[in-house]
Short mmCIF file of all heavy atoms in Angstrom, two decimals:
data_model
loop_
_atom_site.label_atom_id
_atom_site.label_comp_id
_atom_site.label_asym_id
_atom_site.label_seq_id
_atom_site.Cartn_x
_atom_site.Cartn_y
_atom_site.Cartn_z
N MET A 1 58.65 158.48 102.70
CA MET A 1 59.96 157.95 102.31
C MET A 1 59.87 156.49 101.87
O MET A 1 60.89 155.90 101.46
CB MET A 1 60.95 158.07 103.47
CG MET A 1 61.32 159.48 103.84
SD MET A 1 62.45 159.46 105.26
CE MET A 1 61.98 160.93 106.12
N GLY A 2 58.67 155.92 101.97
CA GLY A 2 58.49 154.55 101.50
C GLY A 2 58.47 153.48 102.58
O GLY A 2 58.51 152.29 102.28
N TYR A 3 58.39 153.89 103.86
CA TYR A 3 58.38 152.92 104.95
C TYR A 3 56.97 152.65 105.45
O TYR A 3 56.14 153.57 105.52
CB TYR A 3 59.24 153.41 106.12
CG TYR A 3 60.73 153.49 105.80
CD1 TYR A 3 61.37 154.72 105.70
CD2 TYR A 3 61.47 152.34 105.61
CE1 TYR A 3 62.72 154.80 105.41
CE2 TYR A 3 62.82 152.40 105.31
CZ TYR A 3 63.44 153.63 105.21
OH TYR A 3 64.78 153.70 104.91
N ASP A 4 56.71 151.40 105.81
CA ASP A 4 55.48 151.03 106.48
C ASP A 4 55.73 151.22 107.98
O ASP A 4 56.52 150.49 108.58
CB ASP A 4 55.11 149.57 106.17
CG ASP A 4 53.76 149.16 106.75
OD1 ASP A 4 53.34 149.75 107.78
OD2 ASP A 4 53.13 148.23 106.21
N THR A 5 55.06 152.20 108.58
CA THR A 5 55.34 152.54 109.98
C THR A 5 54.80 151.52 110.97
O THR A 5 55.05 151.63 112.18
CB THR A 5 54.79 153.94 110.32
OG1 THR A 5 53.41 154.00 109.97
CG2 THR A 5 55.57 155.01 109.57
N LYS A 6 54.05 150.52 110.48
CA LYS A 6 53.59 149.44 111.35
C LYS A 6 54.47 148.21 111.23
O LYS A 6 54.37 147.29 112.05
CB LYS A 6 52.14 149.08 111.01
CG LYS A 6 51.14 150.17 111.36
CD LYS A 6 49.71 149.74 111.10
CE LYS A 6 48.73 150.84 111.51
NZ LYS A 6 47.31 150.44 111.21
N VAL A 7 55.33 148.19 110.21
CA VAL A 7 56.16 147.01 109.95
C VAL A 7 57.65 147.35 109.94
O VAL A 7 58.47 146.68 110.57
CB VAL A 7 55.77 146.35 108.62
CG1 VAL A 7 56.68 145.15 108.33
CG2 VAL A 7 54.30 145.92 108.63
N ASP A 8 58.03 148.41 109.19
CA ASP A 8 59.44 148.72 108.96
C ASP A 8 60.05 149.54 110.10
O ASP A 8 60.96 149.09 110.79
CB ASP A 8 59.62 149.48 107.63
CG ASP A 8 59.11 148.69 106.44
OD1 ASP A 8 59.32 147.47 106.42
OD2 ASP A 8 58.48 149.29 105.54
N VAL A 9 59.56 150.76 110.25
CA VAL A 9 60.10 151.66 111.27
C VAL A 9 59.09 152.76 111.56
O VAL A 9 58.35 153.19 110.68
CB VAL A 9 61.45 152.29 110.82
CG1 VAL A 9 61.26 153.18 109.58
CG2 VAL A 9 62.12 153.06 111.94
N CYS A 10 59.04 153.22 112.81
CA CYS A 10 58.24 154.38 113.18
C CYS A 10 59.12 155.32 114.00
O CYS A 10 60.25 154.97 114.35
CB CYS A 10 57.00 153.96 113.99
SG CYS A 10 57.39 153.24 115.60
N GLY A 11 58.61 156.51 114.30
CA GLY A 11 59.40 157.48 115.04
C GLY A 11 59.91 156.94 116.36
O GLY A 11 61.05 157.16 116.75
N HIS A 12 59.05 156.20 117.07
CA HIS A 12 59.45 155.62 118.36
C HIS A 12 60.53 154.57 118.17
O HIS A 12 61.33 154.32 119.08
CB HIS A 12 58.24 155.01 119.06
CG HIS A 12 58.45 154.74 120.51
ND1 HIS A 12 58.22 155.68 121.49
CD2 HIS A 12 58.88 153.63 121.16
CE1 HIS A 12 58.49 155.16 122.68
NE2 HIS A 12 58.91 153.92 122.51
N GLY A 13 60.58 153.97 116.98
CA GLY A 13 61.58 152.95 116.69
C GLY A 13 63.00 153.50 116.67
O GLY A 13 63.97 152.73 116.80
N PHE A 14 63.15 154.83 116.50
CA PHE A 14 64.49 155.45 116.55
C PHE A 14 65.15 155.16 117.90
O PHE A 14 66.37 155.00 117.98
CB PHE A 14 64.41 156.96 116.35
CG PHE A 14 63.99 157.39 114.97
CD1 PHE A 14 63.64 158.72 114.71
CD2 PHE A 14 63.94 156.50 113.92
CE1 PHE A 14 63.27 159.13 113.45
CE2 PHE A 14 63.56 156.91 112.64
CZ PHE A 14 63.21 158.23 112.42
N ARG A 15 64.35 155.10 118.96
CA ARG A 15 64.89 154.84 120.30
C ARG A 15 65.51 153.45 120.36
O ARG A 15 66.61 153.26 120.91
CB ARG A 15 63.78 154.98 121.34
CG ARG A 15 63.35 156.40 121.58
CD ARG A 15 62.10 156.51 122.45
NE ARG A 15 62.21 155.86 123.75
CZ ARG A 15 62.81 156.37 124.81
NH1 ARG A 15 63.41 157.56 124.71
NH2 ARG A 15 62.84 155.72 125.95
N ALA A 16 64.81 152.47 119.78
CA ALA A 16 65.33 151.10 119.77
C ALA A 16 66.61 151.00 118.95
O ALA A 16 67.56 150.30 119.33
CB ALA A 16 64.27 150.14 119.23
N MET A 17 66.63 151.70 117.81
CA MET A 17 67.81 151.67 116.94
C MET A 17 69.02 152.29 117.65
O MET A 17 70.13 151.74 117.59
CB MET A 17 67.52 152.42 115.64
CG MET A 17 66.48 151.72 114.76
SD MET A 17 65.79 152.80 113.47
CE MET A 17 67.24 153.13 112.50
N ALA A 18 68.81 153.42 118.32
CA ALA A 18 69.90 154.08 119.04
C ALA A 18 70.38 153.20 120.19
O ALA A 18 71.59 153.00 120.38
CB ALA A 18 69.45 155.44 119.55
N CYS A 19 69.45 152.67 120.96
CA CYS A 19 69.79 151.84 122.11
C CYS A 19 70.59 150.61 121.68
O CYS A 19 71.63 150.28 122.28
CB CYS A 19 68.52 151.42 122.84
SG CYS A 19 68.81 150.56 124.41
N SER A 20 70.13 149.93 120.62
CA SER A 20 70.83 148.74 120.10
C SER A 20 72.24 149.09 119.66
O SER A 20 73.19 148.36 119.94
CB SER A 20 70.05 148.14 118.92
OG SER A 20 68.77 147.72 119.32
N SER A 21 72.38 150.21 118.96
CA SER A 21 73.69 150.63 118.46
C SER A 21 74.66 150.93 119.61
O SER A 21 75.82 150.53 119.59
CB SER A 21 73.56 151.86 117.56
OG SER A 21 72.77 151.58 116.43
N LEU A 22 74.16 151.66 120.62
CA LEU A 22 75.01 152.04 121.74
C LEU A 22 75.47 150.82 122.53
O LEU A 22 76.63 150.74 122.95
CB LEU A 22 74.26 153.03 122.66
CG LEU A 22 73.93 154.38 122.02
CD1 LEU A 22 72.97 155.17 122.90
CD2 LEU A 22 75.18 155.19 121.73
N ILE A 23 74.56 149.85 122.73
CA ILE A 23 74.92 148.63 123.45
C ILE A 23 75.88 147.78 122.62
O ILE A 23 76.88 147.27 123.13
CB ILE A 23 73.66 147.81 123.81
CG1 ILE A 23 72.75 148.59 124.78
CG2 ILE A 23 74.04 146.45 124.39
CD1 ILE A 23 73.33 148.85 126.12
N GLU A 24 75.59 147.65 121.32
CA GLU A 24 76.42 146.83 120.44
C GLU A 24 77.85 147.36 120.32
O GLU A 24 78.80 146.60 120.15
CB GLU A 24 75.78 146.72 119.05
CG GLU A 24 76.49 145.72 118.13
CD GLU A 24 75.87 145.62 116.75
OE1 GLU A 24 74.63 145.45 116.68
OE2 GLU A 24 76.61 145.71 115.76
N SER A 25 78.00 148.68 120.42
CA SER A 25 79.34 149.26 120.29
C SER A 25 80.29 148.76 121.38
O SER A 25 81.50 148.69 121.17
CB SER A 25 79.25 150.79 120.36
OG SER A 25 78.99 151.23 121.69
N GLY A 26 79.73 148.42 122.55
CA GLY A 26 80.55 147.96 123.65
C GLY A 26 81.28 149.07 124.38
O GLY A 26 82.10 148.81 125.28
N LEU A 27 81.01 150.33 124.04
CA LEU A 27 81.73 151.47 124.62
C LEU A 27 81.09 152.02 125.89
O LEU A 27 81.77 152.59 126.74
CB LEU A 27 81.81 152.61 123.60
CG LEU A 27 82.61 152.35 122.31
CD1 LEU A 27 82.52 153.58 121.40
CD2 LEU A 27 84.05 152.04 122.63
N TRP A 28 79.78 151.86 126.01
CA TRP A 28 79.05 152.62 127.01
C TRP A 28 78.46 151.73 128.08
O TRP A 28 78.01 150.60 127.80
CB TRP A 28 77.93 153.44 126.33
CG TRP A 28 78.42 154.07 125.07
CD1 TRP A 28 78.16 153.67 123.79
CD2 TRP A 28 79.32 155.18 124.98
NE1 TRP A 28 78.82 154.46 122.91
CE2 TRP A 28 79.55 155.41 123.60
CE3 TRP A 28 79.95 156.01 125.91
CZ2 TRP A 28 80.38 156.42 123.14
CZ3 TRP A 28 80.78 157.02 125.47
CH2 TRP A 28 80.99 157.22 124.09
N SER A 29 78.44 152.21 129.30
CA SER A 29 77.86 151.44 130.39
C SER A 29 76.35 151.35 130.21
O SER A 29 75.72 152.29 129.69
CB SER A 29 78.17 152.08 131.74
OG SER A 29 77.49 153.32 131.88
N ARG A 30 75.80 150.23 130.63
CA ARG A 30 74.35 150.06 130.51
C ARG A 30 73.59 151.11 131.33
O ARG A 30 72.53 151.58 130.94
CB ARG A 30 73.95 148.65 130.94
CG ARG A 30 72.48 148.33 130.72
CD ARG A 30 72.22 146.85 130.92
NE ARG A 30 72.76 146.04 129.86
CZ ARG A 30 72.13 145.79 128.70
NH1 ARG A 30 70.93 146.29 128.46
NH2 ARG A 30 72.70 145.02 127.79
N ASP A 31 74.16 151.52 132.47
CA ASP A 31 73.52 152.54 133.31
C ASP A 31 73.39 153.86 132.56
O ASP A 31 72.36 154.55 132.63
CB ASP A 31 74.33 152.75 134.59
CG ASP A 31 74.13 151.61 135.58
OD1 ASP A 31 73.10 150.92 135.49
OD2 ASP A 31 75.00 151.43 136.44
N ALA A 32 74.45 154.25 131.83
CA ALA A 32 74.42 155.50 131.07
C ALA A 32 73.39 155.44 129.95
O ALA A 32 72.65 156.40 129.71
CB ALA A 32 75.80 155.81 130.50
N VAL A 33 73.33 154.29 129.27
CA VAL A 33 72.35 154.12 128.19
C VAL A 33 70.94 154.19 128.76
O VAL A 33 70.07 154.89 128.21
CB VAL A 33 72.58 152.78 127.44
CG1 VAL A 33 71.47 152.57 126.40
CG2 VAL A 33 73.94 152.76 126.76
N GLU A 34 70.68 153.46 129.86
CA GLU A 34 69.36 153.45 130.47
C GLU A 34 68.95 154.84 130.94
O GLU A 34 67.80 155.25 130.79
CB GLU A 34 69.33 152.48 131.66
CG GLU A 34 69.39 151.02 131.27
CD GLU A 34 68.17 150.57 130.49
OE1 GLU A 34 67.05 150.78 130.98
OE2 GLU A 34 68.32 150.04 129.40
N ARG A 35 69.89 155.58 131.50
CA ARG A 35 69.60 156.94 131.96
C ARG A 35 69.24 157.84 130.77
O ARG A 35 68.31 158.65 130.87
CB ARG A 35 70.79 157.50 132.72
CG ARG A 35 70.52 158.85 133.37
CD ARG A 35 69.57 158.70 134.54
NE ARG A 35 69.15 159.98 135.06
CZ ARG A 35 67.91 160.34 135.31
NH1 ARG A 35 66.93 159.50 135.10
NH2 ARG A 35 67.61 161.52 135.78
N GLN A 36 69.98 157.69 129.66
CA GLN A 36 69.69 158.51 128.50
C GLN A 36 68.36 158.14 127.86
O GLN A 36 67.64 158.99 127.35
CB GLN A 36 70.81 158.41 127.45
CG GLN A 36 70.75 159.50 126.39
CD GLN A 36 70.70 160.88 127.00
OE1 GLN A 36 71.52 161.25 127.84
NE2 GLN A 36 69.70 161.64 126.62
N MET A 37 68.03 156.87 127.89
CA MET A 37 66.74 156.42 127.37
C MET A 37 65.61 156.84 128.29
O MET A 37 64.44 156.76 127.92
CB MET A 37 66.73 154.89 127.22
CG MET A 37 67.76 154.32 126.25
SD MET A 37 67.52 154.84 124.56
CE MET A 37 65.97 154.08 124.15
N SER A 38 65.95 157.28 129.51
CA SER A 38 64.97 157.68 130.52
C SER A 38 64.02 156.53 130.84
O SER A 38 62.81 156.70 130.93
CB SER A 38 64.17 158.92 130.05
OG SER A 38 63.34 159.42 131.08
N HIS A 39 64.62 155.34 131.03
CA HIS A 39 63.86 154.18 131.45
C HIS A 39 63.77 154.15 132.97
O HIS A 39 64.67 154.60 133.65
CB HIS A 39 64.51 152.88 130.96
CG HIS A 39 64.34 152.65 129.50
ND1 HIS A 39 65.16 151.83 128.76
CD2 HIS A 39 63.44 153.14 128.62
CE1 HIS A 39 64.77 151.82 127.50
NE2 HIS A 39 63.72 152.61 127.39
N GLN A 40 62.68 153.61 133.47
CA GLN A 40 62.48 153.51 134.90
C GLN A 40 63.29 152.36 135.47
O GLN A 40 63.15 151.22 135.01
CB GLN A 40 60.98 153.30 135.22
CG GLN A 40 60.65 153.28 136.71
CD GLN A 40 60.79 154.65 137.34
OE1 GLN A 40 60.15 155.60 136.91
NE2 GLN A 40 61.63 154.74 138.34
N GLU A 41 64.16 152.63 136.40
CA GLU A 41 64.90 151.59 137.09
C GLU A 41 64.01 150.97 138.16
O GLU A 41 63.48 151.66 139.03
CB GLU A 41 66.17 152.16 137.74
CG GLU A 41 66.89 151.20 138.67
CD GLU A 41 67.31 149.90 137.98
OE1 GLU A 41 67.97 149.97 136.94
OE2 GLU A 41 66.98 148.82 138.53
N ARG A 42 63.80 149.63 138.09
CA ARG A 42 62.88 148.96 139.00
C ARG A 42 63.50 148.70 140.37
O ARG A 42 62.81 148.52 141.35
CB ARG A 42 62.40 147.64 138.39
CG ARG A 42 61.40 147.87 137.26
CD ARG A 42 60.97 146.57 136.62
NE ARG A 42 59.84 146.76 135.72
CZ ARG A 42 59.87 147.24 134.52
NH1 ARG A 42 61.01 147.59 134.07
NH2 ARG A 42 58.81 147.39 133.77
N ASN A 43 64.79 148.64 140.45
CA ASN A 43 65.46 148.47 141.72
C ASN A 43 65.64 149.84 142.39
O ASN A 43 66.31 150.71 141.86
CB ASN A 43 66.82 147.79 141.51
CG ASN A 43 67.55 147.53 142.80
OD1 ASN A 43 67.84 148.44 143.58
ND2 ASN A 43 67.85 146.26 143.04
N GLY A 44 65.02 150.02 143.57
CA GLY A 44 65.00 151.33 144.22
C GLY A 44 66.37 151.86 144.56
O GLY A 44 66.65 153.05 144.40
N VAL A 45 67.28 150.98 145.04
CA VAL A 45 68.63 151.40 145.41
C VAL A 45 69.40 151.85 144.17
O VAL A 45 70.03 152.90 144.14
CB VAL A 45 69.37 150.27 146.14
CG1 VAL A 45 70.81 150.68 146.44
CG2 VAL A 45 68.64 149.90 147.42
N ARG A 46 69.31 151.02 143.12
CA ARG A 46 69.99 151.38 141.87
C ARG A 46 69.41 152.64 141.27
O ARG A 46 70.14 153.48 140.73
CB ARG A 46 69.88 150.23 140.87
CG ARG A 46 70.95 149.16 141.05
CD ARG A 46 70.77 148.02 140.05
NE ARG A 46 70.68 148.54 138.69
CZ ARG A 46 71.71 148.91 137.94
NH1 ARG A 46 72.92 148.83 138.45
NH2 ARG A 46 71.54 149.36 136.72
#
């Protein structure tokens, strides 16, 4: 499609684009976004 996957965008970069959009919208809690991204929560209680 004409993209440099080391500079412009790669498949894994879709995650960053989605995460940025969801946070920027201001609609969604950070906990919901983190859970959907399947990121490891470092605080055991949380």
Side-chain angles (χ1 to χ4, degrees):
M1 293 178 214
Y3 293 110
D4 185 333
T5 53
K6 292 184 178 178
V7 178
D8 301 320
V9 64
C10 66
H12 196 87
F14 292 169
R15 288 171 56 81
M17 293 164 64
C19 187
S20 298
S21 299
L22 295 169
I23 296 295
E24 188 181 310
S25 74
L27 296 177
W28 317 104
S29 68
R30 186 169 288 275
D31 285 337
V33 175
E34 289 295 307
R35 186 71 188 131
Q36 195 53 53
M37 298 296 294
S38 187
H39 286 159
Q40 184 71 57
E41 171 58 53
R42 287 177 169 78
N43 182 302
V45 176
R46 276 178 53 80

